[in-house]
Amino acid sequence: ISAPGQPGNANTPVLVSQISSAYPKLVNTHLLQGRLLTQADIEGRRRVVMVNRKFASTFFPKGDALGQNVRIKELHPPSSPSPGETVTIIGVLSDLPNEGLGEKVQPETYVPFTLTGFQSMSAILLARSALSPTSLVKPLEEQIHKLDPDQPVMEIRTYREWLDLRGYSAPKFSVFLFSVFAALGLLLASLGIYAVMNYSVLRQTQEIGLRMALGAQRSRILSMIVASGTKIIAFGVALGLLASLASTTLLRGMLSGVSPFDPLSFMAVVLLLFLIGLVACLRPAWRAARIDPMRALHYE
């Protein structure tokens, strides 16, 4: 695309969408400046174009995009006798994701499909209804074949199905793999905490026997071990929490419109690790507190 009188942006990718007048309303994009394409623009093959906000700010940073003339090379086949013809910007629309759900919005233009007769390999028909989407399939096919019996109709899907197939499938797979490895990591961390705390308490068996021989109550033994274990667990969980918060920046590339910091998830994992650590303390401590003090003193 070239905009006469504007700084060169030859390296800026621009999307060209060939649409009908109903398209902006159907996809729920909002008019920011100017006007929308009308049916008269479509039927009259008027050389007008709407652009998204990204296009306007990229090529016309002063905010004067309305009424400007731009050249869109893709609107002219190689054999066109007038490749220098321009189209006039009549409206600026709000931005919609156009390069993938997790990608930045690219400059986009919307031109009447009658200017080119859909030069792309295939046309996409969008329909919205208050009825069930599946109930529209047969009527739509019938209407299309009334216009052209030889027109193939392919890939009939609801928008949700299309998003799941084209937009969400790759992120979902990545999240699934990430979740599997995160669960394995949590399991290994839990087993590690349990093993370390269990070993730590078992190492104190002789000390426990000595305290009991000197008259210490079982409740006192249990509270002492739990308090000691809790300090160790709290220190380890605090270090892990800080490391996890620091690593959230690595997740930003996998997320779109979602913060990598989820307090609920962090608190759930912290509580889980605390509970595992406490169980690891209580089980051997309870077993040690119930054995005979003389056996505990000779424990290896």
Side-chain angles (χ1 to χ4, degrees), residues 31 33-36 49-52 66 88-93:
L31 182 67
Q33 291 179 285
R35 67 174 180 87
L36 299 173
V49 61
M50 297 185 301
V51 300
N52 66 349
L66 284 182
T88 303
I89 298 175
I90 61 169
V92 178
L93 303 178

Side-chain angles (χ1 to χ4, degrees), residues 1 17 30 35 39 69 84 89 139 144 195 198 220 240 248 255 266 276 285 299:
I1 287 203
S17 296
H30 306 292
R35 67 174 180 87
Q39 192 60 26
N69 296 319
I89 298 175
I144 292 172
N198 187 63
R220 176 61 180 171
T248 54
L255 303 173
F266 277 92
I276 292 172
Y299 182 82

Side-chain angles (χ1 to χ4, degrees), residues 24-63:
K25 181 179 180 181
L26 193 142
V27 298
N28 201 31
T29 184
H30 306 292
L31 182 67
L32 303 178
Q33 291 179 285
R35 67 174 180 87
L36 299 173
L37 287 175
T38 64
Q39 192 60 26
D41 295 326
I42 303 295
E43 295 176 356
R45 300 181 63 188
R46 294 174 182 171
R47 303 192 63 81
V48 292
V49 61
M50 297 185 301
V51 300
N52 66 349
R53 178 162 45 189
K54 180 66 175 179
F55 181 99
S57 62
T58 300
F59 289 89
F60 301 96
K62 295 181 181 180

